[in-house]
Amino acid sequence: MRLKALLIVAFLAVGFVANAQFNFPEDPEQRSEAQTLWTLFDDSYKQGNYEAAKAPLEKLITKFPKLSTSVYINGIKVWHEAFDAAKDDATKQAAADKVMQLYQMRYDNFPGEESEVIDRQAIHAFQYYYKDADKTDYILDLFKKTYELKGNDAFYPVGRYYMNAASLAFARKTGITDEEILGIYDRCTEHIDYQIAKAKAGNKSTKRYTQIKEFIDSKLADLNLIDCAFITEKLVPEFQQNPNDAELANKIFAFAYTGGCTDEAWFTQAAEVVFTSSPNYGVGYMLGVKFGADKEFDKSKEYFLKSVELTDDNTDKGKALKQIAATERIQENYSEARKFALQAIEVDPTLKEDMYTMIGDMVMASSSCDKLQSQVDDRARFIAAYDYYAAAGNAAKMSQAKAQFPTIGDIFTANKEEGQTIQVGCWIQKSVKLQRRPE
């Protein structure tokens, strides 16, 4: 009964297989055998009984290798599932080798098919063999041929796997050169950039493509092949032509850290584009430091202020506010410096000693505030400095300030008394209790 049912199915399938471009033998007996084997295989395949499908599949590819591409398409699925389900390395190896054999047989028996599916084969090869160092060159050759045959129309994840394979080749010291890896990187980048542009043109999400692009960049960065010369020669000219290209700016920014090129002018320019496209505390803080070092104080303050707004972490807020205070001090904007120093203390009390000490130092250095009319009035600022040092808990600085207090003679001459409240003017604007210098 089973045989009869299969023959009926085979008969009914004649119309279908003709439409599916099957090449059945002219000889009736061989034709019948081929139809029966196909039905056995296809029946098991469609039911998900892949184990049962293996025997008729093997007979089909042995006796009728040119029957149909469907034999290989579905046969690869059968053995790929066997690879995934295998519990031991030997079984996995056998399944992987069978998949590769089926790909090759498809190419041998159906000219032109290699350019259709070699990208899938290359990805399968990586998934099967990436742990096998002896297969590294084989995998690389498949990816190289993939781009030769399919170009930028290759399956979009190809670049991810190819760059990963190149990274493995480098780690395994297979003889792959730095130039070859950079060439692979360029090819993978060109491919994924094409796919991103294509997605954008079709108003589709680019998320999965940009993730691959980031992976490709990170793999190259991990190899530590990037130096200043590479960035300057390969990336900076393009950036100069497209100074608002956020993706390129991000790449330059990331690679510059690896290559040690953070002092270059183009790095700062790239960092500004990165910050504009994706504002974040770290980049903003770094730009604040860089512009401060270059004495571009207005831009430095601008980026530190933006950084404060971009974080909820009080330690980070305090760190940026402390930098603004220091910048204002350098410019001798002492009142502004004190304002930001006090804000820094407010958000991060651990900065209390540094900030109050800094304010005290500014007061001590403010000789321009002296009116040179009264020793008591002029030296009162040292009492203000003392109070700030006391708030900082800085005993050494307190002692230095105290040594500059007015003498008891100065207080008497000015017709004032110890403990009397007096106002310190200028930018200091602070009330202090009059104290005399230690004898």
Side-chain angles (χ1 to χ4, degrees):
M1 286 297 291
R2 175 61 177 163
L3 178 59
K4 181 178 179 181
L6 288 172
L7 290 174
I8 292 172
V9 172
F11 175 77
L12 293 174
V14 170
F16 163 75
V17 295
N19 290 332
Q21 297 183 343
F22 278 63
N23 303 311
F24 284 105
E26 294 293 334
D27 180 79
E29 186 174 338
Q30 289 187 341
R31 183 182 182 88
S32 176
E33 182 182 4
Q35 289 176 339
T36 300
L37 286 172
W38 167 255
T39 302
L40 284 167
F41 169 66
D42 194 48
D43 186 43
S44 298
Y45 172 79
K46 288 179 177 176
Q47 292 179 32
N49 189 353
Y50 287 178
E51 191 60 39
K54 291 177 182 177
L57 170 64
E58 191 63 26
K59 291 180 181 179
L60 280 171
I61 63 174
T62 301
K63 302 189 70 173
F64 308 104
K66 297 182 183 296
L67 181 63
S68 172
T69 57
S70 295
V71 173
Y72 299 101
I73 293 169
N74 296 342
I76 286 170
K77 292 177 183 177
V78 165
W79 280 101
H80 180 69
E81 191 276 341
F83 175 86
D84 286 340
K87 303 299 183 184
D88 60 85
D89 291 342
T91 306
K92 277 188 174 295
Q93 178 72 37
D97 292 346
K98 193 66 181 180
V99 170
M100 293 299 111
Q101 179 197 11
L102 289 169
Y103 272 116
Q104 190 57 51
M105 289 189 70
R106 179 177 177 178
Y107 304 155
D108 292 343
N109 289 286
F110 297 92
E113 287 293 303
E114 187 173 22
S115 62
E116 293 295 318
V117 298
I118 189 171
D119 45 359
R120 309 281 177 161
Q121 182 191 12
I123 291 173
H124 274 155
F126 180 88
Q127 293 171 339
Y128 299 156
Y129 301 131
Y130 74 93
K131 293 181 180 178
D132 186 349
D134 292 337
K135 294 283 189 181
T136 307
D137 287 340
Y138 169 71
I139 295 170
L140 288 174
D141 288 343
L142 276 176
F143 281 117
K144 181 180 179 182
K145 195 169 187 180
T146 293
Y147 278 129
E148 290 172 353
L149 294 177
K150 303 204 72 168
N152 289 333
D153 290 321
F155 191 33
Y156 75 90
V158 163
R160 176 188 182 94
Y161 291 102
Y162 194 11
M163 196 63 205
N164 209 348
S167 177
L168 288 172
F170 181 82
R172 290 166 178 168
K173 295 180 171 49
T174 63
I176 192 169
T177 65
D178 293 358
E179 289 73 19
E180 286 173 326
I181 291 177
L182 293 175
I184 290 171
Y185 168 80
D186 286 342
R187 189 64 192 87
C188 295
T189 298
E190 178 188 335
H191 177 212
I192 201 61
D193 283 345
Y194 170 85
Q195 294 291 334
I196 290 171
K198 186 177 178 181
K200 287 180 177 177
N203 293 319
K204 297 179 180 179
S205 170
T206 61
K207 182 178 179 180
R208 60 183 175 179
Y209 306 110
T210 54
Q211 288 175 338
I212 290 173
K213 185 178 178 68
E214 289 169 1
F215 178 87
I216 292 169
D217 287 345
S218 69
K219 275 296 175 183
L220 181 61
D222 289 345
L223 296 179
N224 293 320
L225 299 180
I226 304 301
D227 57 15
C228 296
F230 173 85
I231 301 171
T232 303
E233 295 170 11
K234 297 278 189 178
L235 302 179
V236 171
E238 184 181 352
F239 182 58
Q240 290 171 340
Q241 293 294 319
N242 303 281
N244 296 316
D245 187 332
E247 290 183 5
L248 182 57
N250 270 287
K251 184 181 294 186
I252 290 172
F253 181 82
F255 287 170
Y257 270 106
T258 303
C261 311
T262 56
D263 291 333
E264 300 291 341
W266 48 255
F267 171 77
T268 303
Q269 294 164 7
E272 287 194 274
V273 176
V274 170
F275 185 84
T276 300
S277 64
S278 182
N280 69 83
Y281 175 87
V283 178
Y285 184 88
M286 181 211 70
L287 283 167
V289 172
K290 287 191 71 66
F291 282 119
D294 293 337
K295 295 183 169 43
E296 294 187 48
F297 298 120
D298 288 343
K299 292 195 76 170
S300 175
K301 181 178 176 180
E302 174 190 345
Y303 279 107
F304 282 132
L305 284 172
K306 288 178 179 178
S307 297
V308 171
E309 298 301 319
L310 289 168
T311 182
D312 293 325
D313 185 290
N314 284 340
T315 299
D316 286 339
K317 280 182 183 288
K319 189 166 72 168
L321 289 166
K322 177 181 177 180
Q323 289 283 7
I324 298 172
T327 299
E328 296 287 9
R329 180 190 179 185
I330 291 170
Q331 295 179 278
E332 297 186 359
N333 298 327
Y334 293 152
S335 180
E336 284 293 290
R338 177 176 58 189
K339 180 181 78 173
F340 287 107
L342 293 175
Q343 288 180 16
I345 294 169
E346 184 177 355
V347 297
D348 183 4
T350 65
L351 296 175
K352 182 177 178 180
E353 180 178 356
D354 286 346
M355 292 294 90
Y356 277 129
T357 295
M358 187 188 82
I359 298 171
D361 288 345
M362 291 190 299
V363 174
M364 289 282 285
S366 294
S367 58
S368 59
C369 289
D370 296 347
K371 295 182 179 179
L372 304 178
Q373 296 175 355
S374 167
Q375 284 286 337
V376 172
D377 290 339
D378 289 347
R379 289 186 174 277
R381 66 183 171 86
F382 295 111
I383 302 174
Y386 176 91
D387 290 344
Y388 283 120
Y389 290 143
N394 192 326
K397 293 277 188 175
M398 289 167 65
S399 179
Q400 290 174 16
K402 201 166 191 175
Q404 300 300 320
F405 284 3
T407 65
I408 188 63
D410 293 332
I411 296 172
F412 178 78
T413 301
N415 197 27
K416 298 184 184 297
E417 297 180 359
E418 287 187 80
Q420 179 181 342
T421 299
I422 60 175
Q423 184 70 22
V424 180
C426 198
W427 70 268
I428 303 168
Q429 294 298 316
K430 181 177 173 59
S431 297
V432 299
K433 298 289 187 181
L434 187 55
Q435 301 179 54
R436 65 175 172 174
R437 185 188 309 174
E439 297 294 338

